[in-house]
Amino acid sequence: MNLSRGFTFISMVLVIIILAAFVGLGIYTVRLDYIVRSKFEGKRWEIPAKVFARPLELFNGALVTPDNLKQELKLLNYKKADNYESPGTYVDKGSMVYVHTRGFDFGDSTEPEQVLEVTTDGQQVTDVRSTQQNGTGIARLEPILVGGIYPRHNEDRVLIQLGKVPQPLIDALISTEDRKFYSHHGVSIRGIARAMVSNMTGGPRQGGSTLTQQLVKNFYLSPERTLKRKANEALMALLVELHYNKNDILEAYLNEVNLGQNGNHSINGFGLASQFYFGQPLNELKLPQMAFLVGLVKGPSLYNPWRNPELALERRNVVLHNMLITGRIDQQQYDDAIKTKLNVIKKPTVGQSLFPDFLDVVRRQLKEEYQEVDLTSEGLRIFTTLDPIVQTSANNAFDTTLKQLIKRNPKRLEGLQGAVTVANPENGEILAVVGGSGMFTGFNRAVDAKRQVGSLLKPVVYFNALESQRYSLNSPISDAPVSITGMGMKDWKPKNYDGQSHGTVPLVYALAHSYNLATVRLGWEMGIPSFINTLHTLGIDDDIKPYPSILLGAVNLSPMQVLGMYQVYAANGFRYAPRSIRSVVDAKGNPLQRYGLNVRQSLDPGGVYLLNYALQQVMRSGTGASAYATLPSNLNLAGKSGTTNDARDSWFAGYSGNYVAVVWLGHDDNRPIGLTGSSGALPVWINVMKQLNLAPVEPVQPTTVQWQWIDQASGNLSAQECPGAVYIPMLASTVPNQATSCGMLHIYGSQEAPYGETELDENGQPVYQQYARRVPEPADTGEASINLELPPDPDTGKPPVVRRFWSSE
């Protein structure tokens, strides 16, 4: 009796335990089910923001040389081929190139996959034909991926849709990793048993996990090897299969699986792996390449093709053999494929920014407008202003020239650093940024290095003088010694770089040769407040102390700030806010923000036109003249060198019609480098510009400006045939009211006096010419006019007849 009651009690306890276990398992399963569904149906991955360069635009008249086009195609990993049947290929026929583009979704528009026939004349595109209709006349290549802004765990991936995945890749994956994928329910009992037997008998170590289990392990669980983790894996795999179809599971797997590591960035998914190992999108891969990627699933570190190429090749061939024995490929395909080399790219770039200095500038702007979590997880696409051709040219020129300079004087220049910034003067778009030599450390000298700029600020002085209408380009300026007391300075006695004074020189000559004494005298006359105000107008928002030394550049600015200043000069006085971003779109392609042109007329166009002429003379005969030993003289380049005290900093800022560039060289610890702007920064600037397809400087002449022949000695009107005459632009209000005798004779010819006999001076010239004066131009013509004012008739006392003579210069 007691024994029976004991069995009953034990049975009840066991039932309770079993029921409790089932209830517990049910609760645990419900909890796991929630985890499975919440992540699978919610935000599956944190997708880093991707930053793209500008797309290369091809249209009739585009300044794109054949070399530019091929360089762009190379950066995009297009393959040179005998035909253009496949996207990502091109055929080179010299002046004519056929390109089979990949197409690209820009968010607000889509560039279709198409075949382009691009014809050039060596300097620009002369004709573009396409297999796709285009009402704009512009065809765009896809933009180059510059880099990403990654989440803290540094995962990266390119999401792919199952419908766009090549079938051979799916076949390779199924035949190698899970042949019963389409028939099991998440767990393969046979696979687990086979793996256990093999592992226990000392055979090849195998895993019994299905693709669904592998997805669960990577997607939800930690990599620890415990019984609990394996049980969770199996249960969650069953739940995944319960809720979702095979295609959903397979697509998630293709995007989740880890296939490599690049530094501290993990390479996840086949879409990114294709770019990482081959530099091509997935749909351009051949069978052997896809088999290689599938082989990495077993161990991306073990089968790393750069460290273990033989193992990687062997594993790829195993995958190909699996495809053969499962009937996915035939014998001929197998034989052809195993003869193929791995053909991975020499150095992967995915995960590492191609141009980290420029990317840093972009990140700084983005962080002012977006939260960090949006940049690192929402899959934003950032379309920037970066021009890869210009950036590559700047990088190469900077590195090469820096090495040459250091080699000449290694003791003083070892560790020399610098920066280069390049922009489009017509819209302020930043095209290239070089933040220093060597690996990018986070200190971007193009933005962070604020150093004295020296003579780069002298154009501000001369612009103020020209705009004041008290001076013209030919006005005499004293370059005699000067001493200034006051405004925080005691007996400041600046000197010229050569230690000499040069007497009285024309204004344009003083700027071209960067005379300090003449600049200080002129700037002091114009006033320090006027100088500071013009700097602010040029976009320099820093607090500038009103010391006289600022006239010679005793102001700390970054290369990026200087770029903004000289952009205004290059754009005829229009100031465009420097920008590195064109637009931002979300993961679905919806535009979030557009960065339109923000422009205003900052400086008087007449004064800027004259200043442009003066800066062109810097290049013709002044401190920038060595540029024309390399660059064509018909480019009419404009620029200015800058050197600071003790030659601690070497600067050059200048522009063509389509590029404005600034170069700075110096030591980070501010030691003297012994280089002037002309001997240090200018060679870098020249080497950058000579690699670009340059347009000449052709500023628009304002209506307030006239070109006149002027006598250098007297400053009066002259003529081309007269000795000492120069042809210069002038503000109409500053045109002289007198002309030289030679000028009058050559322009207007000999004229009879209105009365009596013409009186001649000791040189035989008519006396009345000394009264010649200029009058405003007639409103209805572009011709100039001269009024001759003669003295009264000595006999009658009557005023003379005023004769008007017209010039059609």
Side-chain angles (χ1 to χ4, degrees):
M1 183 72 176
N2 290 335
L3 183 61
S4 176
R5 291 177 62 186
F7 277 122
T8 302
F9 176 76
I10 292 173
S11 298
M12 290 179 63
V13 171
L14 289 175
V15 169
I16 292 173
I17 291 174
I18 293 173
L19 289 174
F22 273 108
V23 171
L25 180 61
I27 294 173
Y28 189 68
T29 302
V30 170
R31 177 173 169 272
L32 289 182
D33 187 68
Y34 173 77
I35 294 173
V36 166
R37 288 187 293 108
S38 62
K39 185 167 184 178
F40 206 96
E41 297 172 7
K43 182 180 176 182
R44 298 181 185 177
W45 300 285
E46 292 185 345
I47 307 298
K50 297 296 175 65
V51 180
F52 295 90
R54 62 92 188 97
L56 180 64
E57 296 185 339
L58 300 170
F59 55 90
N60 290 356
L63 290 177
V64 178
T65 67
D67 288 342
N68 290 159
L69 177 57
K70 294 164 195 173
Q71 185 179 356
E72 186 94 12
L73 293 172
K74 183 178 180 180
L75 288 169
L76 287 167
N77 287 304
Y78 274 62
K79 306 300 181 183
K80 186 178 179 180
D82 296 329
N83 60 68
Y84 45 81
E85 293 178 357
S86 303
T89 59
Y90 72 97
V91 177
D92 182 7
K93 292 187 176 295
S95 62
M96 184 179 294
V97 178
Y98 294 90
V99 183
H100 191 151
T101 71
R102 298 178 175 125
F104 192 83
D105 180 8
F106 288 91
D108 60 344
S109 63
T110 299
E111 197 72 17
E113 177 186 332
Q114 57 191 315
V115 176
L116 301 175
E117 180 190 277
V118 184
T119 306
T120 64
D121 63 2
Q123 294 299 316
Q124 65 181 21
V125 175
T126 56
D127 189 32
V128 179
R129 302 175 66 189
S130 172
T131 55
Q132 296 284 343
Q133 290 186 347
N134 186 337
T136 66
I138 300 175
R140 294 180 294 179
L141 298 181
E142 69 269 27
I144 293 169
L145 179 63
V146 177
I149 302 176
Y150 299 96
R152 281 174 291 183
H153 52 67
N154 283 321
E155 282 190 5
D156 194 7
R157 55 178 46 82
V158 173
L159 295 183
I160 53 177
Q161 297 176 342
L162 185 61
K164 295 183 179 180
V165 176
Q167 188 61 42
L169 178 68
I170 297 174
D171 292 342
L173 183 64
I174 299 299
S175 63
T176 302
E177 292 295 323
D178 190 355
R179 296 178 187 176
K180 299 295 183 179
F181 173 71
Y182 287 105
S183 59
H184 65 62
H185 298 288
V187 178
S188 173
I189 303 300
R190 180 180 297 180
I192 294 174
R194 185 177 62 251
M196 290 178 64
V197 170
S198 179
N199 295 339
M200 291 173 63
T201 59
R205 188 168 184 83
Q206 295 185 14
S209 299
T210 64
L211 286 181
T212 310
Q213 287 176 273
Q214 292 181 41
L215 172 63
V216 167
K217 180 181 67 175
N218 294 327
F219 206 45
Y220 299 102
L221 303 174
S222 65
E224 62 181 345
R225 294 177 176 268
T226 65
L227 185 60
K228 178 183 177 181
R229 204 270 298 159
K230 289 296 292 185
N232 283 337
E233 177 187 299
L235 182 55
M236 295 176 82
L238 292 171
L239 292 171
V240 168
E241 292 271 354
L242 176 66
H243 291 297
Y244 309 106
N245 63 45
K246 292 291 186 179
N247 286 344
D248 291 335
I249 296 169
L250 183 57
E251 182 175 281
Y253 181 91
L254 292 169
N255 285 300
E256 172 62 25
V257 62
N258 177 266
L259 295 172
Q261 193 78 17
N262 189 23
N264 62 345
H265 296 142
S266 67
I267 306 301
N268 291 81
F270 285 92
L272 184 64
S274 175
Q275 298 281 1
F276 180 67
Y277 292 103
F278 300 107
Q280 295 173 271
L282 197 59
N283 64 346
E284 292 181 15
L285 298 190
K286 306 299 182 184
L287 173 62
Q289 295 171 311
M290 288 184 274
F292 162 77
L293 294 182
V294 170
L296 290 172
V297 172
K298 187 175 181 180
S301 179
L302 177 62
Y303 300 112
N304 184 305
W306 296 289
R307 291 202 303 263
N308 304 314
E310 293 181 358
L311 284 178
L313 186 63
E314 180 182 323
R315 177 61 182 168
R316 183 205 68 180
N317 290 344
V318 168
V319 175
L320 290 169
H321 185 260
N322 289 336
M323 297 182 73
L324 175 64
I325 63 177
T326 56
R328 305 291 182 174
I329 58 175
D330 59 31
Q331 188 66 45
Q332 185 63 50
Q333 289 175 302
Y334 172 76
D335 292 340
D336 292 340
I338 61 172
K339 295 176 185 177
T340 307
K341 296 180 180 179
L342 288 177
N343 292 325
V344 294
I345 58 179
K346 293 182 180 180
K347 183 179 180 181
T349 56
V350 170
Q352 303 294 328
S353 172
L354 287 174
F355 309 114
D357 301 332
F358 187 94
L359 182 61
D360 176 65
V361 174
V362 173
R363 289 188 63 138
R364 294 180 191 221
Q365 182 176 343
L366 289 171
K367 285 184 176 181
E368 294 178 358
E369 301 164 358
Y370 294 89
Q371 296 183 5
E372 184 72 16
V373 66
D374 294 330
L375 296 175
T376 59
S377 65
E378 295 300 325
L380 302 182
R381 287 185 293 163
I382 320 297
F383 296 101
T384 74
T385 61
L386 172 74
D387 187 321
I389 304 301
V390 179
Q391 180 70 61
T392 302
S393 299
N395 287 343
N396 294 340
F398 178 77
D399 291 339
T400 301
T401 315
L402 211 64
K403 289 177 182 177
Q404 293 172 348
L405 292 171
I406 293 173
K407 187 176 181 179
R408 294 173 192 168
N409 192 349
K411 185 175 181 180
R412 167 170 277 187
L413 296 180
E414 188 64 36
L416 182 66
Q417 275 293 352
V420 180
T421 54
V422 186
N424 182 342
E426 297 178 355
N427 54 26
E429 289 189 344
I430 302 170
L431 305 178
V433 176
V434 179
S437 176
M439 294 291 292
F440 180 69
T441 62
F443 181 66
N444 192 338
R445 293 169 184 82
V447 181
D448 299 323
K450 288 197 169 186
R451 304 289 285 261
Q452 288 196 5
V453 295
S455 299
L456 293 187
L457 296 191
K458 285 179 180 175
V460 175
V461 172
Y462 290 85
F463 169 79
N464 286 344
L466 293 168
E467 186 190 35
S468 73
Q469 303 181 33
R470 286 182 271 171
Y471 290 88
S472 71
L473 292 166
N474 190 61
S475 296
I477 305 294
S478 173
D479 190 54
V482 60
S483 177
I484 294 179
T485 301
M487 298 184 70
M489 304 193 74
K490 183 178 180 180
D491 296 330
W492 180 51
K493 298 179 180 179
K495 295 181 179 180
N496 284 324
Y497 183 78
D498 61 5
Q500 306 294 318
S501 59
H502 305 92
T504 300
V505 296
L507 180 145
V508 67
Y509 191 89
L511 177 58
H513 292 81
S514 203
Y515 289 161
N516 291 341
L517 301 178
T519 301
V520 170
R521 286 178 173 275
L522 193 61
W524 189 254
E525 179 186 343
M526 293 299 106
I528 299 296
S530 175
F531 180 88
I532 294 175
N533 182 63
T534 300
L535 278 181
H536 290 326
T537 302
L538 288 167
I540 306 303
D541 298 326
D542 298 13
D543 181 26
I544 301 172
K545 303 300 180 183
Y547 300 131
S549 58
I550 65 175
L551 298 172
L552 297 182
V555 178
N556 292 332
L557 299 176
S558 70
M560 194 67 74
Q561 288 177 298
V562 175
L563 182 73
M565 289 177 52
Y566 276 76
Q567 178 274 320
V568 179
Y569 302 151
N572 302 306
F574 287 96
R575 178 187 167 195
Y576 298 88
R579 60 190 184 123
S580 60
I581 302 174
R582 287 183 175 179
S583 64
V584 178
V585 301
D586 65 16
K588 297 180 180 179
N590 300 314
L592 296 182
Q593 191 166 356
R594 292 186 179 280
Y595 296 81
L597 292 180
N598 181 9
V599 59
R600 63 179 178 177
Q601 181 81 53
S602 295
L603 299 182
D604 172 67
V608 174
Y609 187 86
L610 303 188
L611 181 64
N612 260 295
Y613 175 87
L615 293 175
Q616 288 172 322
Q617 303 317 301
V618 172
M619 307 301 289
R620 291 286 182 194
S621 58
T623 56
S626 62
Y628 283 127
T630 303
L631 300 169
S633 60
N634 62 359
L635 290 174
N636 300 323
L637 301 169
K640 186 71 186 75
S641 60
T643 310
T644 60
N645 289 340
D646 301 322
R648 298 178 186 276
D649 301 276
S650 171
W651 290 87
F652 195 86
Y655 46 92
S656 65
N658 53 342
Y659 297 108
V660 53
V662 174
V663 177
W664 166 77
L665 298 180
H667 284 304
D668 287 338
D669 60 7
N670 208 27
R671 286 181 290 122
I673 60 175
L675 296 172
T676 65
S678 298
S679 64
L682 178 57
V684 178
W685 187 89
I686 293 171
N687 286 338
V688 171
M689 299 296 272
K690 76 178 183 181
Q691 297 182 61
L692 305 179
N693 194 8
L694 304 179
V697 176
E698 297 175 337
V700 178
Q701 182 176 338
T703 58
T704 57
V705 172
Q706 300 175 2
W707 281 80
Q708 297 290 340
W709 285 99
I710 299 295
D711 180 61
Q712 277 191 299
S714 66
N716 291 334
L717 293 171
S718 185
Q720 182 176 2
E721 296 84 355
C722 298
V726 292
Y727 194 56
I728 59 174
M730 307 183 73
L731 294 177
S733 56
T734 65
V735 174
N737 58 13
Q738 292 186 339
T740 64
S741 299
C742 176
M744 288 294 295
L745 285 174
H746 280 90
I747 297 176
Y748 305 107
S750 59
Q751 305 291 337
E752 293 183 359
Y755 56 84
E757 185 176 346
T758 302
E759 180 182 354
L760 302 178
D761 62 15
E762 59 186 6
N763 296 317
Q765 300 296 329
V767 172
Y768 67 72
Q769 288 192 19
Q770 64 184 302
Y771 299 106
R773 69 178 176 84
R774 191 77 173 179
V775 298
E777 295 181 4
D780 60 340
T781 74
E783 299 176 333
S785 61
I786 288 287
N787 275 358
L788 300 183
E789 295 185 350
L790 308 180
D793 188 310
D795 296 326
T796 64
K798 294 181 179 180
V801 175
V802 178
R803 293 185 176 180
R804 176 168 291 175
F805 301 100
W806 297 92
S807 163
S808 57
E809 301 172 13

